[in-house]
Amino acid sequence: MPATFTRTTAPEIERKDPGFGGRPPVDKRPTGGGGGDENWDHHRHGRGGPRELITRYRLALLFGLSGDLMFFIALVSVFFARQGTGHIDAHNDYVLDWRPIYIPSILFINTAIMLVSSLTMEIARQQLFRETDVMDEWLGLGRPMSRRATPWLIATIVLGLLFLGGQWIAWEQLSEAGVFFSGNPASHFFYLITGTHGAHLVLGLLALLGAIWGLFALKKVEFRQILVDCTAWYWHSMGLFWFFLFGLLLFCQ
Amino acid sequence: MKTLGWPLPPGPSPSWMPLNGAAHGFALDHLMRWNLAALAACLLLAHGLLAVVMLRRPATSAGSRLPRVWIVQALPILLFSVMYLSMAVTAQRLWAANRFEGAAPQSMQVEVTGRQFQWYFRYPGADATFGGIRPELIEPANGNPLGLIAEDQYGRDDIVSSELVLPINREVDLTLRAQDVIHGLFIPAMRLKQNAVPGQVIHIHFTPVATGVYPVLCSQVCGLGHARMQARLRVVSLADFQTWLASKASR
Amino acid sequence: MNTKQAAASRPSLGRWLASNVFTTDHRAVGILYLVLVGVAVTIGVMLSLVMRIHLAWPGFTVPGRGVIKPEDYLALVTMHGTLMIFFVLTIGPQNAFPSLILPAQIGARRMAFPALNAAGFWLSAVALVVLLLAFVVPMGAPISGWTSYPPLSAIAAAGPGQGLGMDCWLVSLAIFALGQIVSAVNTLASILDTRVHGLTLGRMPLTVWSWLVSSILVLLAFSVLLAALILLFCDRHLATSFFVPLGDAVNGTITRHGDGSPLLWLHLFWFFGHPEVYIAILPGMGLASSLFANFSRRPVVGYKLMAAMTVAIGLLGFLVWGHHMFVSGMNPYAGTAFGLTTMAIAIPSTIEVLSWLGTLWAGSKRKGGLILQTPMLFALGFLSFFIAGGLTGPILAQPALDVYLHNTFFVVAHFHLIMAMAGAFSLFAGIYYWFPLLTGRLLNETLGRLHFWFTVIGAYGTFLPMHLQGLAGKPRHYSDFTGLASNLLPNFLPSERGVTYSALLLVFSQSFFLWNLLHSTLRGRLAEQNPWKATTLEWQPQSTLEMVDHGPYEYRNRASANESEDDFIPQWADGIDQE
Ligand code: HEA
Ligand code: HEA
Ligand code: CUA
Ligand SMILES: [Cu+2]
């Protein structure tokens, strides 16, 4: 129990001293809920059923990702706004400083890699929801689902690393061609967008490593599922984000 | 004075505001006055109600059903909506009149440049055209605070002043620029405020209608000298204005 | 309880830290959040006092620091605003109270993600430290105001404090934004997924509705702030040109070669900034609804409408940001549009005010009238400030009038009444109300009343005259009035002195509160189980609740007699309403 700065002195009156923070102790069981109505038929049954917690984690991920989406939306709005800002030059013409930059073709390959990695990720995710395997694991009869999922997770990691490597090569190519971050607005955005997206992927890779670790270290089947499931949805979303961001860099400069 | 359709009689400016010296200021003050009055009335009414509910101590419960939502809401909300709407519409008309269209072509041109921490006013001179400027040439120490291009023939007769002098009853078209950071041109007596944004050229216009000397302030925090970034506006008769201009030009 | 007492009888610092500081228990985290607010508010209030004293007596020397120079004054204003808005009025209503109360109020034993909640706290704590670092780095704290408009904020040479101090500000807010996003995810998941059975959306207390909406605002608004901060950071250190225009010459040195636009920052910042001020006030509005019902023993008038209006304010809050930019150089047609949307947002707020007045009206006709215990007093104070500050909103919303009022003390008066004072009163109301849940004791009523009345008088005395100063043309961020035109301006000193005396009264009235906290924590009156006869779940005796059958505000409307005993049906009561 929290919140014990000091013990209170013995109470003078007969009422029980609730102490400092005298509320009932914390119950470690997961909380139920879902806020259904009083008709029990509308409720999910049982406590801690395999599908109960996962919805919560998915919900949280959804919120996190919607915040993230807003972050990228802000960047994209600035992208468009910045395209339109210029100045009036000595000849009284309105000139823009936006110089579209050349998009290294390796980005197409990277995009394909990203697509494939989503596929492998999805296959890995599917492995955790096959009923017979889940039952086996749940009963302690080996680790069929973990074993099946791991190779796909590893494949996803490899593809993710390839993607990041590819992005790095694209950066190298650009800087060799003299296009640097500070060069002109189009290049600001190129580096900024690929950079922030790359940072998100690094997080995704860490999550993938965590997922592999978790598949063998976590005691509860449920949490193994959650870990891989959420990682997968995160990865898919990053793929989707990349798809749009790449489209933006390609067609909207 | 035109009151732009505000349905209440005109009256003096709210007494706390400095005396108005601009043509559009009468309508603005008028609106301000009624807005303040309406909202002060709401404030008092609401607090009267609060006082009543706090002080009331009935001896018995007077069958106090909860008021129906729509009774509490419908009529007052209708009234408030009408009030908000009329405020929006009247203010909008004034805003549109002041800002949607530029100054008349024959209006006087003055360029206002904000720089940490000083306002500069430039008059185009006899040719009625401003000369070009280049930021690279800015050198206040050498008497070129605005970066005027010496070779530019339009710039030769430009007059740069640290005091804004305007003839009465003539519309002015101010061109706002800033060299370094955002400044805010604020002339309380002219009921005028507009930010000067670096990289942007902004026009506003107004007509001074009362002679006098008025403060020009900076209303957007711009650095340590923000509070001292002040200048004077002198509204004078046309004759005086021309004398001043001539004396400036001869230097 | 037993194990706990046993543990407590063997005191050890490590164990104390483990259960009170490095813990994910939501109530412990809530207390930590309150401590953070306490630190921030103390510093913020001290800064405001120094400002006020300087404004009234410009020659005053601060012990150890000398006379306040103009840049010092601006640094004070900037840090005061940043601390107060972010670390007091965001953390307090949006993080501290949910951690303390939310799980109990929705019948959950824990938050959905206790670790995220704790992470949110630690990020905020680090952010506070980084922000305060700005005071000690060379050249001191930033001077560009809490809105940090570029190029002033983008170029270190533009002023003292715009170097390292500004970097501290940026980094601090970025960390803060992350913390807010993380804890909003937790709050949302908690509200949507851990409610006890039967606590449908239509049975959630209005506080929970407010936290739901304000958390969504946090998620969307702080993400945008984060993006803007990153862009500004790039402009400062990576030579990009998002916000700095071509040929920007600070001190005669040309700094940039791209066509950045300062207005871009204004749009991004206010897209965040306006929802942010609603984040600060929505939880207070929800709490006020609950308290009005509780202490007038009447249901909230139009519960569903109130919930809907909370959502409406949240939605509209994203459409009005331009009202901070009427004179910023934005297209005048956009000014019209934003003026209209801003007028529209006044309507849901007015509806809420009317509902509150309706509830109070009904309660005042009850035998004995309203129950004016301290939580109720502070809720009434909240209402008073909300009205007083809110009513100037529609004036500012008219671009034609804002042209005169923008960046004058009229605006300062507006937001101190509706944000600072209404917000502070909502925090006070919450603390007076929920104190028994934190300590098992009640705060002292007499001290509470003294605190209330002195604070109300001090607050109106401080912030009402600012309207007049604003109308007289006094701009914000002015450390003094010595300048070319100063002899043309009205003499503000007498009114400054009046305001400062009042501010001193306001601040010293808080000693009643501090003394009350100290005194009552140690030897306050013990609280019975449900001291305010409240209906919402945080007051239920046991946490064995399986099922909720009742709405949040079920007070009986009996015309006569024994109203005293059971004039309410708590949400944890069994079965269907007998009436
Ligand atoms: C929450 C917001 C908040 C609060 C509480 C305050 C409190 C005060 N403010 Fe401030 N203020 C701002 C937000 C706030 N302010 C902002 C955003 C700005 C603009 C900054 C900028 O331009 O960049 C500003 C600017 C500002 C100025 C304008 C300076 C200028 O532009 O020249 C002045 C001048 O007098 C001022 C004065 C005061 C005073 C005297 C107080 C007080 O000291 C009042 C005393 C209040 C109390 C003593 C109660 C506080 C208690 C709580 C908040 C709750 C406590 C919670 C718990 C116990 C859990 N403030
Ligand atoms: C909690 C914070 C908060 C809240 C809730 C509000 C609420 C509102 N604000 Fe405010 N505002 C700020 C915090 C807040 N504001 C801050 C911090 C700034 C300055 C930022 C800066 O520049 O530093 C600011 C600045 C600001 C401006 C820009 C001013 C300028 O810089 O020039 C504008 C302009 O439109 C505005 C408008 C409004 C409006 C229309 C509302 C409306 O939502 C108000 C709605 C409420 C009402 C309308 C009252 C209802 C009551 C009644 C109608 C009484 C009825 C009863 C009877 C009569 C019986 N605000
Ligand atoms: Cu220039 Cu403030
Ligand atoms: Cu706003």
Side-chain angles (χ1 to χ4, degrees):
Chain A
M1 273 310 290
T4 310
F5 297 129
T6 33
R7 299 299 305 168
T8 44
T9 46
E12 304 86 338
I13 30 177
E14 71 292 350
R15 238 183 267 119
K16 199 172 77 175
D17 183 359
F20 206 108
R23 288 269 107 191
V26 182
D27 185 339
K28 289 292 181 196
R29 283 173 302 170
T31 53
D37 54 20
E38 53 264 65
N39 185 344
W40 280 85
D41 293 340
H42 298 166
H43 286 239
R44 297 195 291 261
H45 286 283
R47 185 193 294 284
R51 288 280 176 151
E52 186 161 321
L53 263 186
I54 201 167
T55 50
R56 172 183 305 178
Y57 279 83
R58 282 179 181 167
L59 196 65
L61 189 71
L62 179 74
F63 286 127
L65 285 172
S66 55
D68 212 16
L69 180 64
M70 205 61 202
F71 175 87
F72 281 109
I73 288 179
L75 285 190
V76 173
S77 334
V78 180
F79 179 91
F80 285 115
R82 187 63 183 78
Q83 258 176 354
T85 56
H87 65 279
I88 294 171
D89 72 355
H91 310 288
N92 231 356
D93 293 325
Y94 192 70
V95 291
L96 302 176
D97 64 344
W98 185 282
R99 308 269 171 281
I101 60 166
Y102 136 87
I103 298 293
S105 46
I106 190 168
L107 287 193
F108 288 97
I109 303 175
N110 289 350
T111 309
I113 293 177
M114 197 70 217
L115 220 65
V116 178
S117 79
S118 244
L119 207 70
T120 55
M121 188 72 236
E122 182 59 19
I123 297 174
R125 196 183 76 83
Q126 298 287 341
Q127 305 309 316
L128 284 116
F129 294 96
R130 294 180 166 197
E131 232 160 281
T132 49
D133 289 359
V134 176
M135 274 318 268
D136 279 359
E137 281 213 28
W138 192 66
L139 293 168
L141 307 173
R143 291 265 166 122
M145 75 182 197
S146 304
R147 268 192 289 104
R148 272 183 221 252
T150 311
W152 293 107
L153 289 178
I154 293 177
T156 315
I157 293 183
V158 172
L159 289 169
L161 285 173
L162 274 179
F163 177 86
L164 284 182
Q167 300 288 81
W168 182 257
I169 293 174
W171 282 17
E172 296 270 273
Q173 290 178 350
L174 279 179
S175 57
E176 263 162 42
V179 179
F180 299 107
F181 186 38
S182 58
N184 91 87
S187 72
H188 301 347
F189 280 102
F190 181 84
Y191 283 97
L192 196 70
I193 285 175
T194 49
T196 43
H197 180 263
H200 280 84
L201 276 198
V202 172
L203 279 184
L205 287 176
L206 290 179
L208 278 167
L209 286 174
I212 295 178
W213 166 83
L215 276 181
F216 295 95
L218 286 177
K219 293 220 180 62
K220 281 208 176 140
V221 179
E222 192 183 2
F223 282 115
R224 292 177 218 150
Q225 290 179 324
I226 288 173
L227 199 55
V228 176
D229 187 73
C230 288
T231 309
W233 290 120
Y234 179 80
W235 194 263
H236 293 331
S237 315
M238 287 312 128
L240 199 67
F241 283 10
W242 172 248
F243 204 70
F244 284 110
L245 294 174
F246 185 49
L248 180 85
L249 294 174
L250 208 54
F251 300 117
C252 302
Q253 277 198 41
Chain B
M1 222 350 101
K2 216 169 60 173
T3 59
L4 291 154
W6 186 258
L8 294 162
S13 314
S15 52
W16 308 287
M17 291 169 74
L19 276 183
N20 166 46
H24 71 275
F26 296 103
L28 189 151
D29 284 5
H30 182 65
L31 279 187
M32 184 79 84
R33 176 185 157 82
W34 286 111
N35 269 285
L36 290 172
L39 296 177
C42 289
L43 183 69
L44 289 180
L45 186 66
H47 279 79
L49 261 170
L50 273 182
V52 168
V53 297
M54 281 175 78
L55 294 176
R56 205 148 62 167
R57 293 268 176 287
T60 53
S61 287
S64 61
R65 289 253 133 235
L66 199 65
R68 290 302 175 102
V69 190
W70 60 269
I71 298 185
V72 182
Q73 298 287 0
L75 186 64
I77 268 302
L78 199 71
L79 290 178
F80 274 108
S81 301
V82 169
M83 183 175 88
Y84 295 148
L85 195 70
S86 65
M87 286 175 172
V89 170
T90 48
Q92 157 57 26
R93 289 169 65 174
L94 182 58
W95 174 253
N98 291 345
R99 298 279 178 137
F100 281 7
E101 274 158 38
Q106 69 276 18
S107 62
M108 201 177 85
Q109 301 289 317
V110 181
E111 187 197 68
V112 183
T113 304
R115 161 194 172 85
Q116 284 177 332
F117 301 98
Q118 169 88 45
W119 290 111
Y120 291 104
F121 305 97
R122 179 155 70 123
Y123 297 77
D127 60 1
T129 312
F130 290 113
I133 50 177
R134 284 236 310 276
E136 292 79 5
L137 302 177
I138 295 174
E139 261 182 299
N142 289 345
N144 191 3
L146 299 182
L148 296 180
I149 304 171
E151 303 83 58
D152 190 336
Q153 48 161 353
Y154 293 121
R156 297 255 163 77
D157 59 351
D158 285 6
I159 296 164
V160 180
S161 158
S162 57
E163 181 189 40
L164 178 58
V165 181
L166 295 175
I168 188 170
N169 288 335
R170 166 136 188 235
E171 190 175 26
V172 224
D173 180 7
L174 295 184
T175 307
L176 266 76
R177 296 172 183 273
Q179 289 180 354
D180 37 28
V181 303
I182 304 181
H183 299 275
L185 179 76
F186 181 26
I187 313 181
M190 296 297 141
R191 307 294 187 258
L192 191 79
K193 185 177 289 141
Q194 176 60 51
N195 280 8
V197 184
Q200 241 175 304
V201 179
I202 299 168
H203 285 268
I204 42 166
H205 56 97
F206 70 104
T207 312
V209 293
T211 53
V213 188
Y214 307 103
V216 176
L217 307 175
C218 177
S219 61
Q220 181 63 53
V221 58
C222 53
L224 62 91
H226 164 64
R228 293 176 192 166
M229 184 162 164
Q230 304 173 354
R232 287 157 178 262
L233 159 63
R234 207 146 52 82
V235 179
V236 295
S237 68
L238 186 58
D240 288 351
F241 177 69
Q242 260 141 10
T243 339
W244 176 80
L245 213 56
S247 76
K248 272 282 180 186
S250 66
R251 263 195 279 142
Chain C
M1 206 57 183
N2 284 337
T3 52
K4 181 190 166 234
Q5 269 161 358
S9 63
R10 285 180 276 110
S12 114
L13 183 64
R15 197 172 294 118
W16 186 86
L17 284 177
S19 63
N20 292 294
V21 180
F22 300 104
T23 165
T24 57
D25 180 89
H26 56 269
R27 288 174 8 94
V29 174
I31 302 236
L32 289 175
Y33 267 130
L34 277 187
V35 172
L36 190 76
V37 170
V39 173
V41 81
T42 312
I43 302 173
V45 166
M46 298 310 259
L47 299 184
S48 78
L49 270 192
V50 180
M51 275 150 59
R52 281 307 333 164
I53 290 175
H54 170 77
L55 285 176
W57 295 279
F60 181 84
T61 41
V62 183
R65 295 220 60 173
V67 180
I68 305 283
K69 298 192 287 296
E71 60 268 35
D72 297 338
Y73 179 79
L74 291 177
L76 289 172
V77 178
T78 305
M79 296 297 273
H80 164 76
T82 310
L83 279 170
M84 288 296 198
I85 287 196
F86 292 101
F87 292 89
V88 178
L89 268 203
T90 305
I91 301 260
Q94 177 61 24
N95 299 99
F97 283 167
S99 297
L100 288 170
I101 300 303
L102 175 69
Q105 215 165 45
I106 58 178
R109 291 178 197 87
R110 293 186 286 139
M111 290 245 165
F113 299 99
L116 282 190
N117 195 33
F121 167 75
W122 288 107
L123 286 169
S124 312
V126 172
L128 180 60
V129 173
V130 176
L131 183 69
L132 293 178
L133 272 183
F135 276 123
V136 293
V137 296
M139 306 297 280
I143 60 171
S144 46
W146 81 284
T147 56
S148 290
Y149 287 179
L152 181 53
S153 60
I155 296 168
Q162 297 309 96
L164 270 180
M166 189 67 213
D167 285 326
C168 289
W169 188 91
L170 277 179
V171 173
S172 162
L173 284 201
I175 299 173
F176 187 87
L178 280 178
Q180 282 302 313
I181 292 169
V182 161
S183 54
V185 166
N186 169 47
T187 309
L188 284 169
S190 301
I191 295 176
L192 293 181
D193 199 58
T194 65
R195 273 169 295 138
V196 65
H197 293 305
L199 192 70
T200 54
L201 287 182
R203 285 180 182 155
M204 290 193 321
L206 286 168
T207 38
V208 180
W209 270 105
S210 306
W211 285 322
L212 182 69
V213 173
S214 57
S215 301
I216 293 175
L217 294 190
V218 164
L219 215 51
L220 302 183
F222 273 94
S223 306
V224 173
L225 176 69
L226 190 59
L229 293 172
I230 291 178
L231 295 180
L232 187 53
F233 194 85
C234 292
D235 263 8
R236 290 172 61 82
H237 296 294
L238 300 172
T240 56
S241 59
F242 294 110
F243 304 127
V244 184
L246 189 73
D248 197 56
V250 171
N251 275 329
T253 316
I254 310 264
T255 45
R256 242 12 147 267
H257 309 279
D259 292 319
S261 159
L263 277 199
L264 215 53
W265 168 268
L266 270 70
H267 280 292
L268 288 173
F269 184 87
W270 287 117
F271 184 85
F272 148 79
H274 189 84
E276 161 66 10
V277 304
Y278 283 107
I279 292 165
I281 207 72
L282 277 176
M285 294 168 80
L287 177 61
S289 305
S290 285
L291 292 193
F292 290 149
N294 192 158
F295 291 91
S296 51
R297 318 302 300 161
R298 290 289 173 267
V300 173
V301 173
Y303 165 82
K304 286 203 177 120
L305 187 69
M306 292 294 266
M309 287 308 115
T310 308
V311 176
I313 291 177
L315 289 179
L316 284 173
F318 280 109
L319 301 178
V320 301
W321 77 89
H323 66 213
H324 297 274
M325 301 171 57
F326 289 140
V327 302
S328 67
M330 183 175 70
N331 185 322
Y333 293 98
T336 296
F338 283 118
L340 291 176
T341 51
T342 307
M343 278 296 178
I345 207 176
I347 292 178
S349 304
T350 309
I351 292 183
E352 296 223 356
V353 170
L354 292 169
S355 264
W356 292 330
L357 289 173
T359 309
L360 292 171
W361 184 259
S364 75
K365 294 207 296 190
R366 192 184 139 272
K367 182 178 165 200
L370 300 178
I371 303 167
L372 293 179
Q373 282 165 309
T374 40
M376 177 63 156
L377 281 181
F378 279 94
L380 288 167
F382 166 89
L383 177 54
S384 166
F385 290 124
F386 187 82
I387 294 174
L391 282 171
T392 47
I395 298 191
L396 295 171
Q398 302 170 40
L401 300 184
D402 191 56
V403 156
Y404 183 76
L405 297 172
H406 176 71
N407 274 355
T408 62
F409 261 62
F410 195 87
V411 178
V412 177
H414 158 72
F415 70 73
H416 275 91
L417 283 178
I418 198 170
M419 181 174 72
M421 287 303 112
F425 271 52
S426 74
L427 288 180
F428 287 136
I431 289 190
Y432 278 92
Y433 185 62
W434 284 318
F435 196 71
L437 290 181
L438 304 186
T439 61
R441 296 174 185 277
L442 288 162
L443 281 167
N444 182 297
E445 279 287 310
T446 317
L447 285 173
R449 265 159 224 249
L450 285 172
H451 176 210
F452 172 76
W453 285 110
F454 276 101
T455 308
V456 168
I457 294 168
Y460 274 122
T462 309
F463 299 117
L464 277 184
M466 287 187 184
H467 290 102
L468 305 185
Q469 295 185 321
L471 283 169
K474 187 192 170 203
R476 295 167 69 178
H477 303 116
Y478 267 37
S479 61
D480 51 35
F481 278 90
T482 52
L484 260 175
S486 51
N487 59 331
L488 301 172
L489 292 166
N491 180 8
F492 286 109
L493 271 188
S495 60
E496 297 290 14
R497 298 226 163 115
V499 169
T500 299
Y501 284 128
S502 234
L504 286 169
L505 172 70
L506 171 58
V507 172
F508 285 107
S509 321
Q510 307 313 309
S511 42
F512 290 116
F513 180 59
L514 290 183
W515 175 246
N516 201 350
L517 276 186
L518 203 69
H519 172 80
S520 303
T521 316
L522 298 177
R523 47 185 59 128
R525 190 158 70 77
L526 288 176
E528 56 266 41
Q529 192 47 218
N530 183 359
W532 317 114
K533 297 198 173 36
T535 49
T536 44
L537 284 180
E538 75 268 30
W539 300 101
Q540 63 163 316
Q542 259 80 45
S543 65
T544 52
L545 191 69
E546 290 278 311
M547 181 78 189
V548 164
D549 296 315
H550 294 282
Y553 306 112
E554 296 195 1
Y555 296 93
R556 286 181 199 164
N557 270 317
R558 243 181 283 135
S560 60
N562 55 356
E563 286 227 23
S564 49
E565 263 317 303
D566 54 344
D567 61 343
F568 68 108
I569 306 169
Q571 281 193 286
W572 60 90
D574 279 336
I576 308 303
D577 191 350
Q578 293 90 351
E579 273 183 293

